[in-house]
Amino acid sequence: MNDRMFDSPVFVKNGNNLIQEIACLEDALEFLYEWPRNRRGTIYETTLRACQRAFDSSFPLTAARDAFCGFAKSVKIHEDVSVTLPWMAGRGNRGGGVVA
């Protein structure tokens, strides 16, 4: 098992307004590296450092996840998945085929 997996994923809206699952430290770092330069600020920099330090094993993984979640909330891209998303719900098709 990947020792850099989060206990629970963070869901964010990406630049295409699609919901993206951030399940591990590598996902978080990739997302942060791709974040637009003109939208970076203090919270971004702090989150990036927390994730980089966790990657080097000098910072708790849970704290890096919390930092990423806080960043996502601060820039209003955090998605609450306490409700079932349409792609998670069954389609009501008991036959297992494609619903037309």
Side-chain angles (χ1 to χ4, degrees):
M1 183 174 178
N2 183 343
D3 61 343
R4 294 182 178 146
M5 292 293 290
F6 293 150
D7 289 339
S8 61
V10 178
F11 292 91
V12 295
K13 205 178 293 183
N14 68 19
N16 298 322
N17 285 325
L18 298 174
I19 296 174
Q20 182 175 346
E21 178 183 52
I22 306 298
C24 64
L25 193 53
E26 288 84 356
D27 291 347
L29 283 167
E30 182 178 335
F31 189 89
L32 291 168
Y33 291 146
E34 293 175 1
W35 189 250
R37 291 192 187 277
N38 64 336
R39 294 191 62 199
R40 296 178 184 187
T42 305
I43 296 172
Y44 168 87
E45 295 296 335
T46 302
T47 302
L48 180 62
R49 276 194 308 274
C51 290
Q52 289 171 331
R53 287 178 57 205
F55 189 84
D56 294 335
S57 301
S58 62
F59 197 70
L61 184 61
T62 55
R65 183 204 176 275
D66 291 345
F68 185 84
C69 191
F71 162 75
K73 288 177 181 179
S74 76
V75 295
K76 300 181 182 0
I77 60 168
H78 184 263
E79 288 293 316
D80 181 11
V81 294
S82 59
V83 295
T84 303
L85 297 172
W87 54 268
M88 293 177 166
R91 297 180 189 261
N93 181 1
R94 296 180 188 191
V98 176
V99 176

